[in-house]
Amino acid sequence: MQDAVQRLAARIRAHPEKARLDEVITRWLKRHLKRLGAEAEKALEQVNSLVEDNAMLAENLQTWAEKERQKGEAVGLQKGRQEGRQEGRQEGRQENARETAINLLALGLLDDHQIAQTTGLSLSEVKALRSDQPH
């Protein structure tokens, strides 16, 4: 990140209209980096020139990028946990429905259609469970 900012500052310094170019690019960067939040906006207030303040800007950019990466990881972990819990609950319900169907099959009081309707399993799942039952 520091290299990129320093290269940009060096190119601005080498440009014939460096003062104007520095002003335009600095303003553009500040406007677009404000979306990173209040901390970034406060730090950007101190940046007056990309050419003069490139080290400070590069350091802040690195910090902000790291914070955004950490936020993204936290969101991803949270989402993964939620999906995992949801998937686990679904698997638990399915297992419970299969166990109930097996018990109903063992009792022999209901036909496959009635067991499917009672447990929420498909008819083919009930038939598969019946075929797995010892006779």
Side-chain angles (χ1 to χ4, degrees), residues 1 4 7 36 43 47 49 51 57-59 82-84 86-89 95 99 103 116 120:
M1 192 68 72
R7 282 194 313 269
L36 294 175
V47 176
S49 164
V51 171
L57 180 62
E59 186 178 315
Q82 289 173 345
E83 289 173 356
Q86 190 175 27
E87 190 175 309
R89 284 191 290 269
E95 185 58 34
E99 288 176 12
N103 290 335

Side-chain angles (χ1 to χ4, degrees), residues 32-111:
H32 289 284
L33 292 175
K34 283 182 180 181
R35 67 178 172 81
L36 294 175
E39 181 184 338
E41 192 167 350
K42 185 177 179 182
L44 287 167
E45 287 173 3
Q46 299 173 14
V47 176
N48 297 314
S49 164
L50 182 63
V51 171
E52 294 173 16
D53 302 323
N54 66 65
M56 180 180 66
L57 180 62
E59 186 178 315
N60 283 325
L61 283 171
Q62 191 67 37
T63 302
W64 300 327
E66 179 63 23
K67 285 181 181 180
E68 289 300 310
R69 185 190 62 75
Q70 288 173 352
K71 280 187 208 174
E73 285 178 358
V75 167
L77 286 172
Q78 182 63 27
K79 186 177 179 184
R81 283 189 203 109
Q82 289 173 345
E83 289 173 356
R85 282 193 294 269
Q86 190 175 27
E87 190 175 309
R89 284 191 290 269
Q90 180 63 29
E91 288 176 14
R93 284 191 289 271
Q94 280 294 106
E95 185 58 34
N96 186 34
R98 283 190 289 275
E99 288 176 12
T100 301
I102 290 168
N103 290 335
L104 290 171
L105 287 166
L107 290 174
L109 300 174
L110 301 174
D111 66 29

Side-chain angles (χ1 to χ4, degrees), residues 1-38:
M1 192 68 72
Q2 286 179 333
D3 288 343
V5 173
Q6 287 173 357
R7 282 194 313 269
L8 181 57
R11 290 190 181 223
I12 291 171
R13 274 189 222 101
H15 195 274
E17 293 185 40
K18 59 184 161 207
R20 176 73 179 134
L21 190 58
D22 185 29
E23 178 187 336
V24 169
I25 291 176
T26 302
R27 192 172 357 141
W28 181 85
L29 275 172
K30 289 172 75 169
R31 183 173 49 233
H32 289 284
L33 292 175
K34 283 182 180 181
R35 67 178 172 81
L36 294 175

